[in-house]
Amino acid sequence: MKKIMSTIAVALTLTTGNALAAAGQWGYTGKTAPEHWGTLDPSYALCASGANQSPIDLTDFTEAELKPIKFNYTGLVTEVAHNDHAIQAKYTAGSTITVNGQVFALKQINFHAPSENLVNGGQLPIEAHFIHTDTDGNLAIIAVMYTLGNENTELKKIWQQMPAEKGKKASMTSQVRADHLLPNNKDYYRVNGSLTTPPCTEGVLWMVMKNPVPVSEGQIKKLVKILKHPNNRSVQPVNSRLVLQ
């Protein structure tokens, strides 16, 4: 148990995008770009050799009776950080999802531009990852796509606090609940995958919401400007995995 929790702690630390994590430095441009992750450090080997890597192009769906995700998002976003790899929203403890009887606690929300996952070859401007763990250290990620439309009032509150400089963080001055960042229709695709950042840990349960949430052009441009470069990993081979819907 201690070994499992230690592994997941390292994975989450790396997911938050600290400039120097437990292993080598990584990024999205130049010699530390995603295509080089697997050679930057031995602990990143799965980034190059893994068979179930994320993100993917979700297509060739398999029909399945997916049970609804039970959301119990009761807390609030407490802090927004710019860690050079993503914009990360920290969340209070106590919020959970239940999937097939398995309970996962929400830890943080990371924003990527453009989207990392594709759906039938289509890429959207923003993707948010709601990262969860269970008591055994298993990971579950809910992915929400954001598409061009009307201004998003909930994201606006986060964007107002979003630091413009990497390494900076800011406390929230207004209340934002994670469930208000989700689409109303919570139908989803389900696939087994990995973290999309080093160490590219596999065995991650991915649930990608089918329905995107609207954001304005100005909100998209602000995130892109602050990130200064795309922070999406390219899609990985699906191999023998099934994409359930």
Side-chain angles (χ1 to χ4, degrees):
M1 178 66 74
K2 288 182 178 179
K3 183 178 180 181
I4 293 173
M5 294 307 293
S6 175
T7 300
I8 208 67
V10 170
L12 279 173
T13 298
L14 289 165
T15 303
T16 64
N18 294 329
L20 284 172
Q25 191 173 3
W26 59 273
Y28 289 97
T29 60
K31 295 181 179 180
T32 63
E35 60 267 28
H36 303 299
W37 287 350
T39 61
L40 293 178
D41 189 277
S43 67
Y44 298 170
L46 273 178
C47 298
S49 65
N52 296 313
Q53 288 290 293
S54 295
I56 63 168
D57 183 358
L58 293 106
T59 186
D60 296 326
F61 304 107
T62 298
E63 295 295 328
E65 293 185 11
L66 298 178
K67 293 182 179 180
I69 303 166
K70 182 179 178 181
F71 289 90
N72 183 31
Y73 283 172
T74 59
L76 298 169
V77 175
T78 60
E79 179 183 279
V80 182
H82 182 347
N83 53 39
D84 195 33
H85 297 148
I87 297 300
Q88 176 197 313
K90 202 174 194 180
Y91 211 75
T92 53
S95 291
T96 63
I97 57 171
T98 303
V99 184
N100 292 331
Q102 192 171 3
V103 179
F104 297 87
L106 177 62
K107 300 297 184 182
Q108 63 193 44
I109 307 167
N110 294 330
F111 294 93
H112 296 262
S115 71
E116 296 203 290
N117 290 289
L118 309 185
V119 179
N120 287 323
Q123 187 173 45
L124 289 178
I126 299 175
E127 180 175 347
H129 295 162
F130 295 66
I131 300 176
H132 308 73
T133 65
D134 69 6
T135 54
D136 293 325
N138 298 303
L139 281 164
I141 298 177
I142 288 181
V144 176
M145 306 291 190
Y146 293 86
T147 189
L148 180 61
N150 294 327
E151 184 178 58
N152 188 297
T153 56
E154 294 303 305
L155 277 185
K156 182 178 180 180
K157 299 173 187 176
I158 296 176
W159 267 214
Q160 286 174 338
Q161 304 302 123
M162 185 166 52
E165 298 179 35
K166 64 181 181 180
K168 300 293 185 180
K169 57 186 178 181
S171 298
M172 288 296 296
T173 59
S174 54
Q175 296 185 346
V176 177
R177 286 175 50 132
D179 52 335
H180 294 167
L181 299 170
L182 301 172
N184 292 327
N185 184 329
K186 296 176 178 58
D187 290 343
Y188 63 97
Y189 306 108
R190 177 171 171 165
V191 66
N192 184 47
S194 74
L195 293 176
T196 62
T197 58
C200 304
T201 306
E202 295 190 339
V204 177
L205 173 62
W206 278 86
M207 291 159 286
V208 180
M209 296 286 107
K210 289 184 177 182
N211 296 280
V213 177
V215 293
S216 69
E217 183 178 4
Q219 289 177 309
I220 295 168
K221 287 182 175 179
K222 183 172 183 178
L223 179 60
V224 169
K225 181 179 179 180
I226 285 179
L227 288 172
K228 295 182 174 61
H229 53 71
N231 67 336
N232 64 303
R233 185 188 191 192
S234 60
V235 293
Q236 304 296 302
V238 176
N239 295 323
S240 60
R241 286 177 284 177
L242 296 179
V243 181
L244 305 180
Q245 69 168 358

